[in-house]
Amino acid sequence: MLVYDVLIIGGGVSGVSCAQVLGSAAKKTFMEGKSIGIVMHQKASMLQDAVFNNAFGIEPGTLGSDLLAQAKENLRIYSNITQIEGEKVSKVSRNHEGLFTVETNKSIYLARMVVVAVNSSATFAIEGLMDYVEPHKKSIPTKNRIQLKNIDHFVAEGIYVAGTLAGHRSQLAIAAGSGAAVATDILTLWNDGIETHSHDSIRK
């Protein structure tokens, strides 16, 4: 059974941003053999009803639903990323080998690390992660939002959180940056703790 080096839960802005940065680093020597999966569950994404006029680099009037569809297409350029569609994660646990077992409504996956990047709705119900749930620290209490307890996106050994679920405000640029930050932390970990990131450039 395939073991993902990272399995990202959530195909919204922060999850896709994390996947893009990990995918774009594929040519780095420490990335050899690394596999990344992303569960593209988006039905509850806050982008579904959004329209963007104030997001850097995005044409004003762009619909969030169109942005989500384009994001899925953009991920296809990275051969080390597998998109898992039509599934919703219900449970995350560790097995006797120290790997994460991620259960969905249709299948079971194994991963060495997990990035949780779903939204901050109080309906969050992933078994195995509920002990980390706390009230959202930057949201209005009446909105009843939650977050996962974390320090700079780090929840527990092998578990990261990104986006509004990490305690950030709901803004596209913030969510994208949060996902990218998690990805660079993972890249640094894989690079034996030496700080690294992934940039594309027109320079030779």
Side-chain angles (χ1 to χ4, degrees), residues 15-34:
V16 170
S17 178
C18 182
Q20 286 178 319
V21 174
L22 292 175
S24 69
K27 293 181 180 179
K28 293 182 181 292
T29 55
F30 60 80
M31 289 291 290
E32 185 176 355
K34 292 287 192 298

Side-chain angles (χ1 to χ4, degrees), residues 178-197:
S178 173
V182 171
T184 57
D185 284 347
I186 292 171
L187 293 177
T188 297
L189 183 66
W190 286 343
N191 195 33
D192 294 325
I194 301 170
E195 191 275 332
T196 190
H197 36 68

Side-chain angles (χ1 to χ4, degrees), residues 27 35 42 86 105 128 144 165 173 188:
K27 293 181 180 179
S35 60
Q42 299 174 336
N105 56 325
N144 197 27
L165 195 64
T188 297

Side-chain angles (χ1 to χ4, degrees), residues 132-151:
Y132 301 111
V133 171
E134 64 181 2
H136 200 286
K137 295 180 181 179
K138 292 185 177 179
S139 181
I140 300 170
T142 54
K143 288 189 175 182
N144 197 27
R145 297 292 181 183
I146 58 98
Q147 66 180 59
L148 297 189
K149 298 173 185 175
N150 71 94
I151 298 175

Side-chain angles (χ1 to χ4, degrees), residues 39-150:
V39 182
M40 298 294 292
H41 181 71
Q42 299 174 336
K43 289 183 179 179
S45 174
M46 296 176 183
L47 262 70
Q48 292 290 0
D49 301 317
V51 58
F52 292 99
N53 295 307
N54 64 349
F56 179 81
I58 296 175
E59 184 71 23
T62 298
L63 298 178
S65 55
D66 291 339
L67 201 60
L68 284 170
Q70 186 60 55
K72 290 169 63 176
E73 288 302 311
N74 293 347
L75 279 181
R76 298 189 196 284
I77 69 174
Y78 303 116
S79 60
N80 59 339
I81 294 178
T82 300
Q83 295 187 48
I84 301 167
E85 301 198 50
E87 300 186 32
K88 185 176 182 178
V89 173
S90 58
K91 183 178 180 179
V92 174
S93 59
R94 282 191 187 272
N95 65 19
H96 64 281
E97 296 176 333
L99 298 172
F100 288 102
T101 299
V102 180
E103 299 181 30
T104 75
N105 56 325
K106 295 181 180 179
S107 191
I108 296 176
Y109 302 93
L110 294 178
R112 293 183 175 87
M113 281 187 281
V114 172
V115 177
V116 190
V118 297
N119 71 43
S120 56
S121 169
T123 58
F124 180 90
I126 299 179
E127 186 180 344
L129 298 178
M130 299 308 293
D131 287 346
Y132 301 111
V133 171
E134 64 181 2
H136 200 286
K137 295 180 181 179
K138 292 185 177 179
S139 181
I140 300 170
T142 54
K143 288 189 175 182
N144 197 27
R145 297 292 181 183
I146 58 98
Q147 66 180 59
L148 297 189
K149 298 173 185 175
N150 71 94

